Amino acid sequence: MFVLELTYTAPVERVDALMTEHITWLDTQYAQGVFIASGRKNPRDGGVILAVGDDRDAIEGIVASDPFAAHGVCAYRITEFIATKTSDALAPYRQRLPGQ
């Protein structure tokens, strides 16, 4: 699983100009089962996305296709983690530690 942290690198007005495209991109990733949660940070200087996957290269490709990234209005920090404990609602996304 991955935590994708977006930090805006441009004024919010430039971000907002791309918001419709960004939301369409988010909707596509949700429909494909890659994203399971997302939202703005508070204060509004970026956002956070929880992404499901085992292939960092694939996640990096998805991130690069975000209109925010493509137009240079945000930077991404990608953190991979192993979700060994979840709520019951997220049980399908539980993972095992390597070697278990």
Side-chain angles (χ1 to χ4, degrees), residues 73-86:
V73 301
C74 83
Y76 269 91
R77 178 177 177 207
I78 301 172
T79 304
E80 185 172 2
F81 74 103
I82 301 169
T84 56
K85 189 160 183 67
T86 68

Side-chain angles (χ1 to χ4, degrees), residues 96-100:
R96 293 179 185 208
L97 293 172
Q100 286 189 341

Side-chain angles (χ1 to χ4, degrees), residues 3-7 9 22 25-26 35 47-49 59 62-70 74-79:
V3 176
L4 311 178
E5 182 180 4
L6 297 75
T7 301
T9 58
H22 175 72
W25 172 80
L26 286 170
F35 292 171
V48 175
I49 302 168
I59 295 296
I62 290 167
V63 163
S65 71
D66 177 1
F68 283 179
C74 83
Y76 269 91
R77 178 177 177 207
I78 301 172
T79 304

Side-chain angles (χ1 to χ4, degrees), residues 22-83:
H22 175 72
I23 291 171
T24 299
W25 172 80
L26 286 170
D27 290 345
T28 299
Q29 301 312 315
Y30 276 104
Q32 293 178 357
V34 177
F35 292 171
I36 59 172
S38 62
R40 291 179 178 173
K41 293 193 289 187
N42 188 19
R44 187 179 176 205
D45 62 359
V48 175
I49 302 168
L50 292 182
V52 177
D54 297 320
D55 183 347
R56 185 180 185 94
D57 289 339
I59 295 296
E60 288 175 355
I62 290 167
V63 163
S65 71
D66 177 1
F68 283 179
H71 291 278
V73 301
C74 83
Y76 269 91
R77 178 177 177 207
I78 301 172
T79 304
E80 185 172 2
F81 74 103
I82 301 169

